[in-house]
């Protein structure tokens, strides 16, 4: 280091030295006459050798915080032997007379606080106070940088050890109360984090940092994992007092065994070498911090209690805010999770995969959603939508629209009618409740898909041979505009093809427009399909991951919802379909038709169960129907039977009494079938059941 090292004096509280330029922004520099060199750096205690040039002052980075790059107190050239001509001039403070350096103490050369003769080279009291101010400023900035609980507690530990203390123990309430929440049960403190330094390092500089730990010391045994604060105990009284205290005080000494245990309390150094500081948030005490110094280091002073109080206050308020932030983030995550499907349904003839990415980690809720809704006749409705914005309000509107779409899908309305009712619902929710939505219905038996669009980006169809095509679907107006008509188109959905539904966050950003992004998506799908060959479609989950990989660093401006559907379809040979007249002979005919179909499929072992259940369901349908009843059998991984009629009332399972002649049909279906259900249609209803094959 340069031999012209300077000793910086506080600029806010000290008086300028004789012969110094009062406009010097760093205060007076003590220089040896005739040499222009600064005096050696003063040591921290009288009679001790001056600190080495590598001594670190509060800030913990190897240099004085006032000269640390990026510090708000940094000065050009400070601590680097810079001459007076490099200082930025500023107006001299008014009303502060120039006086000799000895005036920092009493006229007899003794210090005001200690009454001892100040040894040559020892810092004056104001110098020590300046160190404390700079340390508190640097420490609180470090604590304030934390967002979550762990970052704040770590910031407190790293800021204080080893600059202020040799060890620190941070206890926090378990569990931590959130906001105005009133805790129940006893006050329990859990050791959240500890930091220590080795014993053989010299720490007598007061604020001098120490190298990382090498050997254990007696401070390593301090601290218990958990303690319960008993009402009226010494620890409870200290925590209620809020202010930091030295542990040599009677109340604090009695509180240590309760906090640390008997063994830990005996390891705490005697005298004023430990400070117990309660951590008080906005409403209540949420923990405590214990600062310790080893016996060979100078003890804490009365002013150090103020430092501990500042550290405890900033840490407690930061912890309070971190807990609130964590709760809000948890609520947002839960809101978004519950408004999106937890698991996609397993539908006959189609495989599904999905992805959702929030706009940012700090805003995990948004208005994008996707859904897959099973429909009667083994069909499935595929929905993707996007409410404007990515806030809690957008998420709430999204949840209402998604619920409305599920209800409308249960009525088996055409896609264009579903969008029309969604548009009316958006207008009822309020003004400017705008959203885009794409609603598609896939029929695995007919291998067809019907799509209606409300201002949403068009879907992309990846065929089995590797050709990717952007489907031409009329865009329509967004939901919430009102007074518009929606149009549906019916397209082929060949087996092995993949339909990709997405929101605009995938294809639009500040770096590209939506149509450029759609073209890039199409090319990405085609390139991915080439990797698996023309006869094998790419795995669905891997395809979703590949699609998201096309996003660049600047492409995450909005939420992203992605729904991929692989069309397997149901072969015509696996479908048997009949019409039955609503007459007394219909149940017997239904049994014979079902037996023939099962024999053709080689599933004779299911004949008895299927005949019994088909007879019961068809009998109920014929009793009330006025039009022909439909009977359909589907052979997939399970055997599915569907009976449709023109009566909208859904059957209900009930327990028949011993004297009842009927009412046991659905009871038999419920006991023998793997699954069963009833769905209302616009023209009536469908009752279905499934049986395991083999």
């Amino acid at each position: 280091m340069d031999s012209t090292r300077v000793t910086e004096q506080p600029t806010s509280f000290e008086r300028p030295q004789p012969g110094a330029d009062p406009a010097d922004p760093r205060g007076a520099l003590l220089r040896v006459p005739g040499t222009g060199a600064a005096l050696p750096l003063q040591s921290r205690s009288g009679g001790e050798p001056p600190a080495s040039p590598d001594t670190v002052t509060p800030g913990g980075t190897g240099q004085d915080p006032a000269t640390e790059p990026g510090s708000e107190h940094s000065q050009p050239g400070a601590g680097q032997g810079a001459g007076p001509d490099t200082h930025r001039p500023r107006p001299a403070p008014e009303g502060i007379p120039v006086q000799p350096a000895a005036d920092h103490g009493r006229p007899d050369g003794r210090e005001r606080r200690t009454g001892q003769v100040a040894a040559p080279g020892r810092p004056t009291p104001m110098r020590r106070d300046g160190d404390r101010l700079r340390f508190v400023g640097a420490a609180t900035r470090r604590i304030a940088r934390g967002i979550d609980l762990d970052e704040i507690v770590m910031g407190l530990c790293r800021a204080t050890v080893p600059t202020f203390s040799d060890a620190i123990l941070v206890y926090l309430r378990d569990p931590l109360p959130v906001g105005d929440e009133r805790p129940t049960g006893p006050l329990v403190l859990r050791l959240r984090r500890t930091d220590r330094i080795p014993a053989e390092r010299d720490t007598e500089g007061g604020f001098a940092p120490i190298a990382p730990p090498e050997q254990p010391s007696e401070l390593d045994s301090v601290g218990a994992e958990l303690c319960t604060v008993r009402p009226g105990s010494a620890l409870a009284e200290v925590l209620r007092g809020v202010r930091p205290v030295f542990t040599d005080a009677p109340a604090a000494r009695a509180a240590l065994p309760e906090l640390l245990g008997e063994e830990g309390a005996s390891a705490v150094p005697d005298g004023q070498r430990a400070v117990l500081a309660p951590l008080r948030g906005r409403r209540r005490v949420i923990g405590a911090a214990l600062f310790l110094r080893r016996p060979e280091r100078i003890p804490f002073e009365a002013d150090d209690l103020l430092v501990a109080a500042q550290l405890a206050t900033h840490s407690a308020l930061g912890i309070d805010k971190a807990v609130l932030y964590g709760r809000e983030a948890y609520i947002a995550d839960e809101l978004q999770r519950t408004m999106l499907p937890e698991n996609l349904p397993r539908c006959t003839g189609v495989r599904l995969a999905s992805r959702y990415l929030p706009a940012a980690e700090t805003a995990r809720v948004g208005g994008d959603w996707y859904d897959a809704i099973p429909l009667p006749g083994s069909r499935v409705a595929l929905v993707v939508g996007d409410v404007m914005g990515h806030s809690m309000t957008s998420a709430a509107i999204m949840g209402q629209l998604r619920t409305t779409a599920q209800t409308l899908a249960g009525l088996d309305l055409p896609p264009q009618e579903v969008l029309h009712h969604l548009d009316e619902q958006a207008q009822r929710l309020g003004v400017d409740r705008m959203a885009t939505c794409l609603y598609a219905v896939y029929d695995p038996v007919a291998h067809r898909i019907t799509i209606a669009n409300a201002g949403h980006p068009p879907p992309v169809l990846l065929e089995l041979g590797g050709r990717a095509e952007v489907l031409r679907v009329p865009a329509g107006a967004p939901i919430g505009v009102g007074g518009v008509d929606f149009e549906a188109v019916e397209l082929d959905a060949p087996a092995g093809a993949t339909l990709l539904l997405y929101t605009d966050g995938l294809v639009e950003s500040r770096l590209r427009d939506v149509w450029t992004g759609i073209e890039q998506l199409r090319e990405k799908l085609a390139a991915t399909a080439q990797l698996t060959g023309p006869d094998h479609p790419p795995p669905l989950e891997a395809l979703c991951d590949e699609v998201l990989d096309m996003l660049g660093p600047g492409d995450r401006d909005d939420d992203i919802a992605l729904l991929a559907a692989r069309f397997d379809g149901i072969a015509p040979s696996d479908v048997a379909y009949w019409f039955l007249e609503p007459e007394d002979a219909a149940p017997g005919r239904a049994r014979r038709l079902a037996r023939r179909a099962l024999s053709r499929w080689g599933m004779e072992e299911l004949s008895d169960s299927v005949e019994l259940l088909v007879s019961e369901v068809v009998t109920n349908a014929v009793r009330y129907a006025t039009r022909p009843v439909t009977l359909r059998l589907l052979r997939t991984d399970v055997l599915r039977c569907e009976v449709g009629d023109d009566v909208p009332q859904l059957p209900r399972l009930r327990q028949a009494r011993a004297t009842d002649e009927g009412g046991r049909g659905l009871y038999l279906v419920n006991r023998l079938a793997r699954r069963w259900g009833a769905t209302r249609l616009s023209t009536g209803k469908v009752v279905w059941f499934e049986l395991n094959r083999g």
Side-chain angles (χ1 to χ4, degrees), residues 483-502:
V484 296
D485 190 21
F486 299 99
E487 182 181 354
V489 295
E490 188 174 349
L491 305 171
D492 289 330
T498 303
L499 184 70
L500 200 70
L501 310 179
Y502 53 91

Side-chain angles (χ1 to χ4, degrees), residues 51-65:
S52 66
D54 296 330
T55 299
V56 185
T57 50
T61 60
Q63 60 185 7
D64 194 315

Side-chain angles (χ1 to χ4, degrees), residues 133 187 316 368 405 426 440 452 465 489 500 515 586 595 638 663:
L133 290 174
L187 172 58
D368 293 16
V489 295
L500 200 70
W515 290 108
R595 186 185 313 115
V638 297

Side-chain angles (χ1 to χ4, degrees), residues 486-653:
F486 299 99
E487 182 181 354
V489 295
E490 188 174 349
L491 305 171
D492 289 330
T498 303
L499 184 70
L500 200 70
L501 310 179
Y502 53 91
T503 56
D504 58 355
L506 179 66
V507 295
E508 185 180 20
S509 70
R510 291 170 294 181
L511 304 180
R512 62 185 178 188
D513 61 82
V514 62
W515 290 108
T516 301
I518 292 175
E519 180 61 23
Q520 292 178 359
L521 174 61
R522 188 195 65 80
E523 294 174 354
K524 182 70 173 180
L525 291 174
T528 304
Q530 296 298 325
L531 300 177
T532 57
D535 300 328
H536 301 282
L540 206 56
E541 296 290 342
L543 181 64
C544 291
D545 294 335
E546 288 292 328
V547 167
L548 294 181
D549 285 342
M550 67 177 282
L551 296 172
D555 294 341
R556 290 289 302 280
D557 298 331
D558 198 0
D559 303 354
I560 297 174
L562 178 66
L563 179 62
R566 173 72 44 77
F567 300 143
D568 295 331
I570 300 176
S573 59
D574 292 330
V575 181
Y577 192 86
W578 304 279
F579 287 95
L580 304 174
E581 291 297 330
E583 55 189 13
D584 295 341
R589 185 185 176 205
R591 289 193 297 268
R592 292 192 299 271
L593 295 174
R595 186 185 313 115
R596 293 173 187 173
L598 294 177
S599 177
R600 185 171 65 251
W601 291 336
M603 303 170 63
E604 291 87 351
E605 68 277 6
L606 296 179
S607 293
D608 293 340
S609 299
V610 171
E611 287 184 39
L612 175 60
L613 300 184
V614 165
S615 179
E616 293 293 338
V617 176
V618 171
T619 298
N620 290 337
V622 169
R623 179 177 300 176
Y624 304 103
T626 58
R627 296 181 180 180
V629 175
T630 60
L631 172 63
R632 184 167 71 169
L633 296 180
L634 301 174
R635 182 183 63 168
T636 57
D637 55 338
V638 297
L639 179 67
R640 182 182 177 99
C641 176
E642 300 174 351
V643 177
D645 58 57
D646 61 344
V647 181
Q649 286 78 18
L650 299 180
R652 300 298 180 189
L653 181 65

Side-chain angles (χ1 to χ4, degrees), residues 389-421:
H390 41 82
S391 62
M392 298 289 285
T393 302
S394 301
I397 297 173
M398 176 267 287
Q400 297 181 69
L401 292 180
R402 177 175 177 243
T403 302
T404 303
Q406 290 178 330
T407 304
L408 296 171
L411 299 177
D412 197 29
L413 298 178
Q416 65 272 23
E417 289 296 323
V418 172
L419 294 184
H420 175 72
H421 288 293

